Amino acid sequence: MNTFIASFWAESLKVRRSLITLATAGGFMLLPIVGGLFMIILKDPENAKNLGLISTKAQLVGGVADWPSHFGILKTGMAIAGFILFSIITSWVFGREFADHTVKELLALPTPRTVIVASKFVIIGLWVLLLSILIFAAGLIAGWLVDIPGWSSALLWSSFGSYMLIVGLTYMLMPVAALIASIGRGYLLPLGWTFLAMALAQILGVLGWGEWFPWTVPGLLSELTGPSVEALGIHSYMVVFLTFVVGLSATIIWWRSADQSR
Amino acid sequence: MFAGGGKTVFYPKKCPRVRPAPCEFPIIGVPTGEPLCTIPSGYRPNRKCTYMDYAIETNHLSKNYGQVCAVDSVDLHVQPGEIYGFLGLNGAGKTTTIRALLGMIRPSSGSVQVLGQPVGPNGRGPWRRIGHMVESPAAYPELTVLENLEIARRLQGVTDKNATLRVIEQLGIAAYRNRKAGTLSTGNFHRLGLARALLHQPELLILDEPASGLDPAGVVEIRELITRLAREQGLTVFMSSHILTEVDRIATRIGVIHKGRLIEELEADKLIEIRARRLEIKTRDLAAAQCVLSEAGYAVSANEDKLSTGDQRAIDAPEEVATLLVNAGTPPTRLAVEQENLEDYFLRLTGETI
């Protein structure tokens, strides 16, 4: 039996049986719901003024109720909520083995540790890909229900392309969270890192260094952080890719070599 | 198992079960001497086939955590078919040694060979032939017993789909097969851990405190199961415990680790012989009796309501002591040669006091 298929099957079973699958799907669903709510508010400004703070925030983010704004909210939401939820998923996939003490059952096996780590990253990738597509589809339905103007196929595909690029870039930041979950042997440390990385991303984005900081790049791409998406160059994508490679390698090395003394 | 030339050797299951020439006519069998198979006629020795003397062999195994030496130059030699009891107080270094045997930690120095293969922290090792349970058993609580074992089956590379059901039956947890592991009782959770360890029919079973947390019935059940597996399947068992009486009942050989060092290694049946014996005497007048015996040259100590002596002459001929006391007018009301209990022996060996 192929060891990767066996390990992937094991990981997928854990994900399928876990409540966290539903919890993350529920968390992600807030994104299209909030996007749709913003569109409702923006579509009827008179009514929006009666809503106070929410309508003020909506005005700040979008300004007009149309498909470009709606897609913009989805992309921005993915850059923020996506990073948090992807990190929660990664922390769970790696950290739960330590929290439940099941890691010791994964070490002295004919299935190599590298294969186990690889299958974990693949399941995380498929999980976040599925959720991201689901969220985009739900966003389309929300926009269609609110009946906002400005639709075009070209807009759909370009928005979907940049949305998926944000998803891909955010996923590439996950090996660092996996490494921290492994070293920290649980969930808390990677979740702490997630919020620290978000804060640093905001600060460095505002200071103009965001293009060089991997955790700022998805935000810049969604035009959330910093002055403009134009700041991004090939170097920004390379920095993210490098972070992915280093994080992945370090996680594999750690699983292969570190003492599992607890 | 091969009995030839006065040396016991062990062949891996997947190798032809004969020693490369030259050798005497080999018979492979369990320690009872029962032959399992003999050399096939016309067999030509396979040069690639290696044989091993020990199921577990460590040479000067040491592990330091900073300034703390958890395991200090331990030389373990566990023979195939043995049930090796690895005894030690809490924190003596049992679990660290077991983790090193399973490649979970990198030794600071020394080497580890299990079933003839070197073990390393990067995943090297003959894992397909080893079952293990380190400290308390672990399982995914949201998965059923069957699902937990199915994961283990696939990760162990066992192609026989009936292996899961077979081990469930063997461990007596068939009734709980569809129960989530998180809802099992401690005893059944232990059985699940053992089922995982036995699923792939290993040659070597490494267990760390297998009876820990179990009720008395569970302890007996686990003990009988291990004994049966060792007897029927020729399984080698290496099990750690801090309960001497538990190990004494099951092990064929015992190693005692204390403060990281292997301080004693002996056959289990020798345990009775080496435990100190004392003659205990009860009489109505302890002071007078002690005086009489001291005058006769016996080293006697008074202890609450009795006298006690480790003098070999008294132990070998208690009737002489009795005669002496009767003649002195302080006849014994009780006279018995008592053997040091296991706990006292263990504490004496380790130099610990209660």
Side-chain angles (χ1 to χ4, degrees):
Chain A
M1 190 190 295
N2 184 300
T3 53
F4 179 80
I5 292 171
S7 184
F8 179 75
W9 182 88
E11 292 304 324
S12 65
L13 182 66
K14 292 177 212 170
V15 167
R16 277 183 281 144
R17 292 286 183 271
S18 174
L19 284 176
I20 198 163
T21 315
L22 280 177
T24 50
F28 267 110
M29 273 302 164
L30 287 175
L31 201 54
I33 291 169
V34 170
L37 185 67
F38 270 38
M39 290 303 109
I40 291 170
I41 293 164
L42 291 170
K43 200 177 174 189
D44 189 352
E46 283 304 313
N47 204 12
K49 283 176 186 170
N50 298 329
L51 292 173
L53 189 61
I54 295 174
S55 64
T56 306
K57 179 69 178 169
Q59 293 289 351
L60 284 172
V61 171
V64 285
D66 58 9
W67 278 103
S69 301
H70 185 54
F71 284 134
I73 290 172
L74 281 178
K75 286 190 283 183
T76 305
M78 180 50 71
I80 304 169
F83 178 61
I84 295 171
L85 285 166
F86 287 16
S87 297
I88 289 173
I89 289 169
T90 306
S91 304
W92 182 81
V93 168
F94 280 87
R96 68 91 37 101
E97 304 288 2
F98 299 93
D100 291 335
H101 305 289
T102 45
V103 66
K104 62 194 178 196
E105 309 294 345
L106 298 176
L107 300 172
L109 284 174
T111 302
R113 297 178 194 177
T114 308
V115 168
I116 289 169
V117 173
S119 64
K120 283 183 181 296
F121 278 117
V122 171
I123 199 74
I124 292 168
L126 287 176
W127 187 350
V128 299
L129 180 69
L130 197 71
L131 281 177
S132 302
I133 291 172
L134 192 72
I135 295 335
F136 195 82
L140 288 180
I141 293 168
W144 177 73
L145 286 174
V146 177
D147 193 23
I148 47 178
W151 169 268
S152 74
S153 299
L155 176 70
L156 168 69
W157 291 114
S158 69
S159 298
F160 183 67
S162 52
Y163 173 85
M164 289 311 292
L165 185 59
I166 291 167
V167 169
L169 290 171
T170 307
Y171 171 73
M172 287 178 133
L173 301 173
M174 290 305 112
V176 174
L179 176 65
I180 294 170
S182 303
I183 294 171
R185 298 170 201 270
Y187 313 104
L188 285 180
L189 212 56
L191 293 179
W193 160 251
T194 300
F195 290 105
L196 177 66
M198 281 186 70
L200 287 173
Q202 289 297 316
I203 293 166
L204 290 170
V206 170
L207 292 176
W209 291 98
E211 60 189 299
W212 291 101
F213 188 60
W215 287 268
T216 314
V217 173
L220 282 175
L221 196 66
S222 75
E223 302 183 41
L224 166 73
T225 316
S228 167
V229 70
E230 277 81 47
L232 288 176
I234 189 73
H235 61 284
S236 304
Y237 298 106
M238 287 306 294
V239 165
V240 175
F241 182 70
L242 202 65
T243 305
F244 174 72
V245 171
V246 170
L248 186 63
S249 308
T251 306
I252 289 171
I253 290 168
W254 191 91
W255 270 69
R256 282 172 59 92
S257 308
D259 277 355
Q260 305 290 341
S261 54
R262 277 188 282 167
Chain B
M1 204 54 103
F2 163 64
K7 191 178 183 187
T8 303
V9 294
F10 181 78
Y11 297 95
K13 269 184 181 171
K14 289 187 177 174
C15 279
R17 294 175 174 183
V18 288
R19 185 179 190 172
C23 69
E24 294 177 21
F25 184 62
I27 295 175
I28 301 161
V30 291
T32 56
E34 181 188 345
L36 289 178
C37 63
T38 57
I39 188 168
S41 59
Y43 171 74
R44 290 182 181 177
N46 180 352
R47 284 185 180 276
K48 288 180 183 174
C49 175
T50 56
Y51 66 95
M52 65 195 114
D53 294 303
Y54 301 106
I56 294 174
E57 184 178 8
T58 68
N59 289 305
H60 304 298
L61 173 67
S62 297
K63 180 64 186 177
N64 301 319
Y65 293 107
Q67 298 295 313
V68 178
C69 182
V71 174
D72 187 5
S73 199
V74 166
D75 291 321
L76 277 174
H77 297 95
V78 179
Q79 293 177 355
E82 273 190 337
I83 300 179
Y84 190 97
F86 194 46
L87 272 167
L89 301 170
N90 290 331
K94 302 186 297 292
T95 301
T96 304
T97 305
I98 283 181
R99 285 182 185 273
L101 295 180
L102 293 169
M104 293 181 183
I105 57 170
R106 186 190 297 271
S108 304
S109 63
S111 65
V112 179
Q113 284 221 335
V114 178
L115 296 176
Q117 288 186 32
V119 164
N122 57 356
R124 277 184 306 151
W127 309 127
R128 212 177 287 273
R129 298 157 58 202
I130 300 172
H132 65 85
M133 192 168 81
V134 181
E135 293 182 298
S136 53
Y140 300 103
E142 73 276 16
L143 303 186
T144 65
V145 166
L146 205 57
E147 287 169 339
N148 268 290
L149 291 172
E150 191 57 21
I151 285 179
R153 182 183 75 78
R154 292 182 186 231
L155 293 180
Q156 284 287 359
V158 178
T159 50
D160 179 10
K161 290 181 180 174
N162 292 323
T164 315
L165 294 174
R166 188 173 57 236
V167 80
I168 279 177
E169 288 290 339
Q170 189 180 18
L171 270 295
I173 47 175
Y176 308 101
R177 53 191 279 185
N178 293 318
R179 280 267 295 272
K180 288 188 175 175
T183 66
L184 293 175
S185 65
T186 308
N188 285 329
F189 202 73
H190 254 77
R191 286 185 190 90
L192 173 58
L194 269 176
R196 186 200 286 263
L198 294 167
L199 179 79
H200 52 297
Q201 297 183 300
E203 293 165 45
L204 170 65
L205 194 57
I206 297 177
L207 304 171
D208 188 11
E209 305 271 5
S212 174
L214 290 179
D215 58 25
V219 170
V220 172
E221 196 180 325
I222 295 292
R223 186 170 66 218
E224 287 177 352
L225 175 74
I226 293 169
T227 311
R228 195 177 75 232
L229 286 168
R231 190 175 58 240
E232 292 175 358
Q233 298 178 15
L235 194 68
T236 307
V237 181
F238 182 88
M239 57 174 282
S240 77
S241 180
H242 64 274
I243 307 167
L244 185 53
T245 47
E246 192 49 47
V247 170
D248 179 47
R249 287 180 186 168
I250 185 172
T252 53
R253 207 148 63 91
I254 290 171
V256 180
I257 187 169
H258 185 60
K259 292 181 178 170
R261 295 189 71 89
L262 190 66
I263 56 170
E264 181 82 286
E265 206 172 26
L266 72 166
E267 302 297 321
D269 50 13
K270 295 244 174 72
L271 198 58
I272 298 168
E273 293 171 24
I274 64 160
R275 273 149 55 195
R277 293 192 300 165
R278 298 185 74 78
L279 179 69
E280 291 187 353
I281 307 146
K282 281 190 176 179
T283 175
R284 288 197 173 81
D285 190 348
L286 282 180
Q290 186 175 16
C291 188
V292 168
L293 292 174
S294 296
E295 281 177 7
Y298 294 103
V300 181
S301 60
N303 184 8
E304 293 179 7
D305 61 340
K306 64 188 175 192
L307 298 176
S308 177
T309 177
D311 194 308
Q312 199 58 44
R313 286 182 301 140
I315 293 165
D316 291 344
E319 68 279 5
E320 286 181 11
V321 174
T323 307
L324 204 64
L325 291 173
V326 169
N327 291 342
T330 55
T333 55
R334 183 176 182 275
L335 194 70
V337 176
E338 298 283 356
Q339 186 155 40
E340 182 183 37
N341 70 38
L342 288 166
E343 282 74 20
D344 287 344
Y345 163 73
F346 186 60
L347 292 172
R348 179 164 60 84
L349 193 66
T350 57
E352 296 286 324
T353 52
I354 298 170

